[in-house]
Amino acid sequence: MVIFVTSNKHKFEEISLMFNHRGIPITWKRMKYEELQADDTRTVSLDSCMRLREVIRKPFFLEDTGLYIESLKGFPGPYSSYVAGTIGNRGILDLLAHGRNRSAAFITVISYFDGREIHQFEGSVKGAISYEPAGSGGFGYDPIFMPEGTSKTLAQMSDEEKNAVSHRGMAVSKLISFILAGNA
Ligand code: ITT
């Protein structure tokens, strides 16, 4: 049994779909935890995991995700949660007006505590910020992010389709391979 710690139900839905598909039991520990303010998703994810292992004391994982927009020098990056809750998708679209480069990437870093040590798994997807929000699936920035090679936003995809191309899907695949290789 693996515990996934997040306050975000959409993350749990996407991840549990992949675990269920591979027949690996997963439980949701719904919990909001303080995050370090740092420039990089890997550091934020590791720091949260190190603090939570003192409290949870059993194998678990968490993940930290950021949206990195090239022409905004990586903004909102580690501040993605704050920005989503303040200026939101409309604010991002406004910042990209006047013909700015719309290239962007999502990065997810999973930190998995196996009961002894912490292992990290990273996934990313490159794409572009759309001109208008589209779609009603997913969450957060999904309506304005189009993965490379598609003309759909992540919000226009089912959870299965999103998992097949997404930052989170890639990071979770790596974690699942690690667990199935006998490391859980
Ligand atoms: P935790 O409890 O797991 O930390 P959170 O929602 O605060 O949940 P993050 O800090 O990792 O998670 O995510 C930052 C924000 O980025 C989040 O609030 C969403 O708005 C957005 N986000 C994360 N993953 C996303 C995804 O797959 N698609 C679109 N937006 C996403």
Side-chain angles (χ1 to χ4, degrees), residues 13-50:
E13 281 166 4
E14 289 175 18
I15 290 182
S16 59
L17 202 61
M18 294 181 68
F19 270 73
N20 293 342
H21 188 67
R22 303 302 293 269
I24 308 170
I26 180 167
T27 48
W28 180 14
K29 186 166 177 61
R30 186 173 203 162
M31 175 177 166
K32 188 74 207 151
Y33 51 87
E34 287 295 312
E35 281 177 10
L36 180 77
Q37 289 290 25
D39 286 349
D40 139 79
T41 302
R42 233 180 151 80
T43 309
V44 176
S45 177
L46 181 61
D47 175 78
S48 302
C49 191
M50 282 166 55

Side-chain angles (χ1 to χ4, degrees), residues 4-184:
F4 174 40
V5 182
T6 183
S7 62
N8 186 320
K9 96 169 166 24
H10 302 281
K11 285 187 182 181
F12 180 72
E13 281 166 4
E14 289 175 18
I15 290 182
S16 59
L17 202 61
M18 294 181 68
F19 270 73
N20 293 342
H21 188 67
R22 303 302 293 269
I24 308 170
I26 180 167
T27 48
W28 180 14
K29 186 166 177 61
R30 186 173 203 162
M31 175 177 166
K32 188 74 207 151
Y33 51 87
E34 287 295 312
E35 281 177 10
L36 180 77
Q37 289 290 25
D39 286 349
D40 139 79
T41 302
R42 233 180 151 80
T43 309
V44 176
S45 177
L46 181 61
D47 175 78
S48 302
C49 191
M50 282 166 55
R51 280 184 291 110
L52 281 186
R53 75 177 164 184
E54 305 302 328
V55 182
I56 298 178
R57 297 179 170 281
K58 294 188 268 223
F60 73 95
F61 71 96
L62 52 78
E63 61 104 297
D64 195 58
T65 295
L67 173 67
Y68 292 76
I69 301 174
E70 219 169 277
S71 57
L72 303 180
K73 311 257 185 276
F75 180 85
Y79 309 103
S80 293
S81 179
Y82 180 74
V83 169
T86 51
I87 64 171
N89 288 343
R90 183 45 63 189
I92 296 281
L93 294 178
D94 290 346
L95 287 173
L96 289 181
H98 313 299
R100 277 196 143 128
N101 170 8
R102 310 185 78 83
S103 300
F106 269 114
I107 300 177
T108 291
V109 179
I110 290 177
S111 294
Y112 170 54
F113 174 60
D114 66 4
R116 288 188 317 125
E117 38 183 356
I118 296 173
H119 307 269
Q120 291 193 299
F121 304 92
E122 186 167 329
S124 62
V125 57
K126 288 187 181 161
I129 303 299
S130 60
Y131 286 90
E132 281 301 322
S136 54
F139 66 100
Y141 301 107
D142 283 345
I144 59 165
F145 185 87
M146 293 187 305
E148 234 169 32
T150 64
S151 50
K152 284 199 236 179
T153 67
L154 288 173
Q156 291 174 298
M157 299 181 182
S158 65
D159 281 354
E160 283 90 351
E161 280 178 278
K162 178 178 169 184
N163 279 339
V165 296
S166 80
H167 45 301
R168 180 165 301 106
M170 186 192 289
V172 172
S173 287
K174 291 180 183 174
L175 170 64
I176 287 178
S177 300
F178 183 78
I179 290 173
L180 290 178
N183 293 300

